[in-house]
Amino acid sequence: LENRSLEVYYQPIYDTKCGKIHSAEALVRLKDEELGMISPEEFIPIAEKSGMIMQIGEFVFETVCRFIQEKQLTDYGLQYIEINLSVVQCMQENLAERLTEIMKKYHVAPAQINLEITETAAAHSDMLENNIKILHKQGIEFSLDDYGSGYSNTDYLFRFPFRIVKIDKTILWEAFKNEKAMIALRNTIRMIKELGLEIVVEGVENQEYVDYLTEQHLSLIHISE
């Protein structure tokens, strides 16, 4: 944070029906002069333990809001930007108030932001539920991230006002290796659809994945790095 080594990248979410980029997810990366690019899988857990994740989370949110203010999202074909909230952020009593302050500072409309909550974060339901209630009332939409990577508790789908469920990439990848995993993926997609929720499948790396998901009538897919 002091050396300005954190960078935000935007990973595209592709709309198979329209054949164009629909939205994007903000990803934070750490670029060290000596070590090069450091994976968030390494530095995020350290930041969570040290308490620095709050500053990093706020940095990412403010960077995205500044980007939205400076750019016309529609010129890029983007309807909104997805931002992931860490477990520690979700447990903060003033989370909704702070995010609202930043959006007002950059004149960002709530509809231009989609907040991602992981299954792990959703387990901290009391404080999170209150924050989601406040932010959702203002017009911010929410996604359940990495569905299938943890406990996959369907209770989260009923209790929280998620609009989008993001199926974890490991389920997609395993489905093309294992017939049982393919059955699980197919039925997971059907269940989420019947609940009236949108689906984004993560980790789409090749045309075979695209073709299969298109056959399943999924419109939004997460193009992998």
Side-chain angles (χ1 to χ4, degrees):
L1 284 165
E2 292 177 358
N3 298 332
R4 299 182 182 275
S5 300
L6 292 171
E7 300 176 350
V8 175
Y9 291 79
Y10 297 92
Q11 189 169 9
I13 297 176
Y14 184 76
D15 188 331
T16 60
K17 292 182 179 179
C18 300
K20 62 182 181 180
I21 302 301
H22 171 275
S23 52
E25 178 181 356
L27 304 175
V28 63
R29 295 290 182 264
L30 177 57
K31 189 175 183 180
D32 185 83
E33 292 183 1
E34 297 181 7
L35 302 175
M37 296 297 288
I38 301 175
S39 169
E41 294 181 359
E42 293 188 52
F43 72 82
I44 291 296
I46 297 172
E48 288 181 329
K49 290 179 181 178
S50 68
M52 290 296 293
I53 192 65
M54 287 298 298
Q55 290 93 319
I56 292 176
E58 190 163 305
F59 163 80
V60 173
F61 194 85
E62 187 156 0
T63 300
V64 171
C65 286
R66 187 184 304 112
F67 172 80
I68 292 174
Q69 182 192 53
E70 294 174 352
K71 309 291 183 181
Q72 292 295 323
L73 292 188
T74 53
D75 291 345
Y76 294 86
L78 302 176
Q79 295 186 20
Y80 55 83
I81 303 293
E82 295 187 343
I83 306 172
N84 206 301
L85 294 180
S86 71
V87 175
V88 178
Q89 284 178 283
C90 292
M91 294 170 64
Q92 300 303 308
E93 187 175 357
N94 67 338
L95 174 67
E97 180 183 353
R98 185 63 188 131
L99 297 186
T100 300
E101 288 175 357
I102 295 173
M103 286 191 296
K104 287 182 178 178
K105 176 182 177 182
Y106 293 97
H107 307 287
V108 171
Q112 295 176 302
I113 297 288
N114 182 289
L115 295 177
E116 296 186 3
I117 310 293
T118 63
E119 289 184 339
T120 305
H124 301 274
S125 58
D126 293 339
M127 189 62 68
L128 173 62
E129 200 161 357
N130 185 55
N131 282 320
I132 286 182
K133 183 178 180 181
I134 296 171
L135 292 167
H136 189 258
K137 190 175 181 180
Q138 294 177 10
I140 291 180
E141 298 285 0
F142 287 84
S143 299
L144 178 60
D145 196 20
D146 299 332
Y147 185 77
S149 64
Y151 295 107
S152 301
N153 192 336
T154 54
D155 178 56
Y156 302 148
L157 302 179
F158 312 146
R159 192 175 352 140
F160 298 109
F162 293 120
R163 183 174 66 86
I164 299 171
V165 177
K166 302 184 75 173
I167 297 177
D168 190 71
K169 59 182 178 293
T170 57
I171 297 179
L172 175 66
W173 295 347
E174 189 63 28
F176 281 81
K177 303 175 187 176
N178 185 312
E179 179 59 31
K180 290 183 178 179
M182 180 63 79
I183 293 172
L185 173 62
R186 187 164 57 246
N187 283 281
T188 297
I189 291 172
R190 185 182 67 181
M191 177 194 71
I192 297 172
K193 277 186 172 182
E194 290 183 357
L195 289 173
L197 301 172
E198 291 185 37
I199 300 173
V200 173
V201 180
E202 299 178 315
V204 179
E205 296 184 327
N206 56 51
Q207 190 62 45
E208 184 181 15
Y209 294 167
V210 174
D211 292 343
Y212 173 78
L213 295 172
T214 302
E215 289 173 3
Q216 297 300 310
H217 305 290
L218 293 187
S219 58
L220 301 180
I221 57 177
H222 212 306
I223 305 300
S224 190
E225 296 175 272

